[in-house]
Amino acid sequence: MNETDQPRISANQASAATPSKAAAKKAAARKRPVKKAAPKKAAAKKAASKKAGAKKAPRKAAARKPAAKPASVLIVGAGFAGLGMAIRLKKAGIEDFVILERGEDVGGTWRDNTYPGAACDIPSNLYSFSFAPNPNWSRSYSGGAEILDYVHYLVSAFGLRKHIRFQHNVTALDFDTRRGLWTAELEGREPLRARAAVMAQGPLSNASFPDIEGVEDFQGKKIHSARWDHDYDFTGKRVAVIGTGASAVQIVPELVEKVVRLKVFQRTPAWVIPRPDFRTPDWNKTLFRALPASQKAVREALFWTHETMAMAVIWNSPLTRLAERLARRHLRRQVKDDWMRRQLTPDFRIGCKRVLVSNDYYPALQKDNAQLITWPIAKLSENGIRTADGVEHELDCVVFATGFDVPKSGTPFPVRGRAGRELGEEWARGAQAYKSINVAGYPNLFFLFGPNSGPGHNSALVYMEAQLDYALRGMQRLLDDNLKLMDVKPAVQARHNKQLQKRLARTNWNSGCKSWYLTEDGFNATMFPGFATQYRAQMATFEDRDYEWVALKA
């Protein structure tokens, strides 16, 4: 029922509510001779009327209640991005927001990725929020469990638990142009509405088995790296790992110690560089706790070190050749066999695909019970994997370290904006946004880790903090000025993306190899073509003239 609807009144109630007819009947009765029994009958009728009225009265109370007052902000996802946005809102004094999380706990990718060896390839002091430093990191590169503990700390320290609705799976987002509200449709629950919505589900949130012939035919155990089965015993098993990306280089060294036979199926070799990972001494933790400025200085040093790496991995420069020499030296030091080195040497420029960081991947491949397979996979059969050379590899378990369904195009659920437009259709050939955060035709909607916000060399959280600040400015203007909508102008968005793609054409990512950064036809909707400092400078400026602003009618 709409808020303006009123409860209907029944015919009997209407009759009882009309005093003129009742008065006329009373007057006529007074003129007629009345028997002694009449008062008793009248009293009985009156009592019956009261009783009937008492039964009918609840009908008014049974009318549907108006919908609850819309929240100021709906946040989809309780990973780093969603929680970071929530913290920013609370610090700005905006408390009526709701976080919708489809899972049973916070953490996003760090909740889901619990495979053996899971860790971050960015130093912990940089892979954390600058406004919530952790002086107690156990290592320079912390594991997934410790990162998840940090996420739980954020929830506790900033009082976010009361804002989170767990097991609230969003199935659609719809914008009501007349009211200036976003409605989140939820699986098995009542919809929720808000003045603004934030897509914070992250790019690494959906995983599925790859499209390989025969995947459903395999009778053994199948495990995806993002959906690890901790109850499965690998001891003495014949196991395959499909993929040689960021997850695989962490999984392989762990599995090779347990299984009787490990076969690693490589489609394309990757550039691998050393990982300077050390245990954090107790004196270091004590110093960070006693003198927070010292930890801030370390973070700054790590930031500028990684900024320098942009010259090697984003553009083709003398530093690119230096980085390739470092990676080749790492390969020569760890792999003595000439033929294996050839199999593990990439034929593309460093940076074109994600650069991997590992000290133990190459040694693991050379274990007596390990084998690197470079023949293409033809299909999966009932008993294992058949490669293009006709060999069938019998297996007990296949581990798919094949990454995520990164949304370079489309959306994880229908998002409908002004005039019935649907974002998934508009992004079918590649996602585009303004400054990675707003999309024309979808007012009051903010993306975190949106199109072209990916870093190739620095911490994703550095980029994210810049996005949080920008989104907060827009939401504050929307709420403080009681606006119905803020919508980026199409011409502004088109001009921004034209410049982005022109810059991307000169990067290593667009230099010819295939990667998850690109769509099938080579459109780069993922990466930002520049330094983190450039990205932060871009997000530091919020121009009102870039947007259409419409006020709510009083």
Side-chain angles (χ1 to χ4, degrees):
M1 184 178 78
N2 294 330
E3 294 177 19
T4 54
D5 291 347
Q6 298 294 326
R8 293 182 179 178
I9 300 176
S10 68
N12 290 339
Q13 289 170 321
S15 176
T18 309
S20 57
K21 289 184 179 180
K25 285 182 180 179
K26 265 189 176 180
R30 278 195 293 267
K31 290 179 182 178
R32 292 195 299 266
V34 181
K35 296 180 181 179
K36 288 183 179 180
K40 290 183 179 179
K41 288 182 179 179
K45 284 182 180 179
K46 192 174 182 181
S49 177
K50 282 184 178 179
K51 191 174 181 183
K55 287 182 180 178
K56 291 177 182 178
R59 286 189 180 182
K60 291 184 180 181
R64 288 176 59 193
K65 294 180 181 179
K69 179 184 176 183
S72 286
V73 184
L74 284 179
I75 302 171
V76 182
F80 266 112
L83 298 178
M85 189 74 258
I87 293 168
R88 280 287 195 257
L89 288 170
K90 285 182 78 76
K91 286 189 172 184
I94 301 171
E95 290 278 351
D96 59 330
F97 63 87
V98 178
I99 304 173
L100 303 176
E101 170 53 54
R102 68 182 179 185
E104 297 178 351
D105 198 3
V106 298
T109 187
W110 296 108
R111 175 200 62 213
D112 297 337
N113 285 267
T114 59
Y115 59 79
C120 187
D121 53 10
I122 292 290
S124 302
N125 281 306
L126 194 54
Y127 193 77
S128 49
F129 286 127
S130 64
F131 51 79
N134 174 22
N136 300 312
W137 292 115
S138 66
R139 307 190 64 83
S140 48
Y141 291 80
S142 296
E146 193 171 3
I147 295 171
L148 187 57
D149 285 343
Y150 174 74
V151 174
H152 282 114
Y153 157 76
L154 294 174
V155 174
S156 175
F158 294 95
L160 303 181
R161 182 72 58 175
K162 64 182 179 181
H163 297 279
I164 305 172
R165 306 290 181 267
F166 292 109
Q167 294 183 301
H168 279 56
N169 185 32
V170 178
T171 57
L173 276 179
D174 291 280
F175 187 68
D176 182 342
T177 306
R178 185 173 63 87
R179 295 185 178 183
L181 295 175
W182 279 101
T183 298
E185 299 292 337
L186 299 165
E187 184 179 351
R189 298 180 185 274
E190 289 296 313
L192 293 176
R193 301 177 303 155
R195 301 280 302 282
V198 180
M199 296 278 281
Q201 74 280 359
L204 306 181
S205 57
N206 294 316
S208 60
F209 292 123
D211 185 18
I212 300 176
E213 183 183 349
V215 166
E216 299 302 325
D217 298 333
F218 178 59
Q219 298 301 302
K221 180 70 175 179
K222 291 181 294 188
I223 300 177
H224 194 285
S225 60
R227 304 288 183 267
W228 199 261
D229 186 350
H230 291 275
D231 294 328
Y232 184 74
D233 185 6
F234 286 91
T235 306
K237 298 294 197 303
R238 300 165 300 174
V239 178
V241 173
I242 298 179
T244 53
S247 299
V249 300
Q250 296 175 347
I251 293 171
V252 168
E254 299 289 330
L255 287 186
V256 77
E257 300 296 334
K258 300 177 181 179
V259 304
V260 68
R261 190 70 179 165
L262 181 67
K263 296 189 177 185
V264 179
F265 289 79
Q266 172 185 279
R267 183 172 61 179
T268 308
W271 290 102
V272 181
I273 60 176
R275 178 191 185 93
D277 188 22
F278 306 101
R279 186 182 66 82
T280 306
D282 290 337
W283 66 262
N284 200 162
K285 299 176 189 177
T286 302
L287 175 64
F288 284 171
R289 287 194 295 269
L291 191 62
S294 63
Q295 186 174 13
K296 185 178 180 181
V298 169
R299 180 185 175 93
E300 280 296 300
L302 290 169
F303 171 80
W304 288 108
T305 300
H306 281 76
E307 275 292 81
T308 303
M309 291 172 60
M311 293 298 296
V313 298
I314 297 181
W315 304 282
N316 188 14
S317 74
L319 281 180
T320 304
R321 261 76 70 195
L322 181 62
E324 289 180 352
R325 283 199 295 271
L326 173 65
R328 287 196 181 97
R329 183 185 177 193
H330 181 54
L331 177 59
R332 283 196 305 271
R333 287 181 60 190
Q334 292 200 325
V335 179
K336 302 303 179 185
D337 182 75
D338 291 342
W339 176 242
M340 178 172 272
R341 276 206 309 272
R342 183 178 297 180
Q343 290 177 307
L344 291 169
T345 300
D347 61 356
F348 53 85
R349 189 184 304 160
I350 195 168
C352 190
K353 291 177 180 282
R354 183 173 178 177
V355 180
L356 307 182
V357 185
S358 177
N359 295 332
D360 49 10
Y361 176 61
Y362 288 152
L365 291 177
Q366 297 170 86
K367 296 278 188 178
D368 291 339
N369 62 330
Q371 183 181 3
L372 179 67
I373 309 292
T374 58
W375 281 95
I377 295 174
K379 62 177 293 186
L380 266 69
S381 62
E382 290 185 4
N383 300 318
I385 294 176
R386 186 174 301 164
T387 47
D389 59 348
V391 174
E392 183 157 336
H393 305 266
E394 294 190 355
L395 302 162
D396 300 304
C397 174
V398 176
V399 173
F400 294 86
T402 48
F404 295 82
D405 304 325
V406 179
K408 300 180 286 289
S409 61
T411 53
F413 45 75
V415 178
R416 292 178 276 264
R418 301 172 80 172
R421 56 199 301 173
E422 207 278 306
L423 189 56
E425 296 175 359
E426 296 184 24
W427 278 3
R429 293 183 59 81
Q432 294 189 34
Y434 176 59
K435 294 188 177 181
S436 77
I437 208 164
N438 297 122
V439 181
Y442 301 83
N444 313 352
L445 180 64
F446 301 85
F447 287 83
L448 301 178
F449 278 145
N452 297 111
S453 64
H457 65 290
N458 217 319
S459 172
L461 298 194
V462 170
Y463 288 66
M464 187 190 297
E465 287 192 30
Q467 295 168 37
L468 297 176
D469 292 340
Y470 189 93
L472 180 62
R473 289 193 200 103
M475 290 181 212
Q476 285 178 313
R477 172 79 191 278
L478 185 74
L479 299 173
D480 292 348
D481 294 352
N482 199 30
L483 300 175
K484 182 164 69 172
L485 62 83
M486 58 163 284
D487 194 5
V488 64
K489 296 175 181 176
V492 171
Q493 177 177 303
R495 183 168 63 248
H496 174 77
N497 280 277
K498 184 178 181 180
Q499 293 170 350
L500 268 182
Q501 293 302 319
K502 187 176 180 180
R503 291 169 61 189
L504 280 164
R506 298 192 292 267
T507 65
N508 292 339
W509 303 313
N510 290 39
S511 61
C513 72
K514 288 186 177 181
S515 72
W516 62 268
Y517 302 145
L518 310 177
T519 61
E520 289 297 322
D521 57 359
F523 181 81
N524 192 332
T526 310
M527 310 304 285
F528 177 74
F531 294 101
T533 45
Q534 290 176 304
Y535 187 84
R536 290 198 300 198
Q538 166 189 283
M539 305 306 289
T541 305
F542 191 105
E543 297 288 354
D544 283 0
R545 65 174 179 270
D546 292 340
Y547 293 86
E548 174 191 358
W549 305 90
V550 178
L552 277 169
K553 293 181 180 178

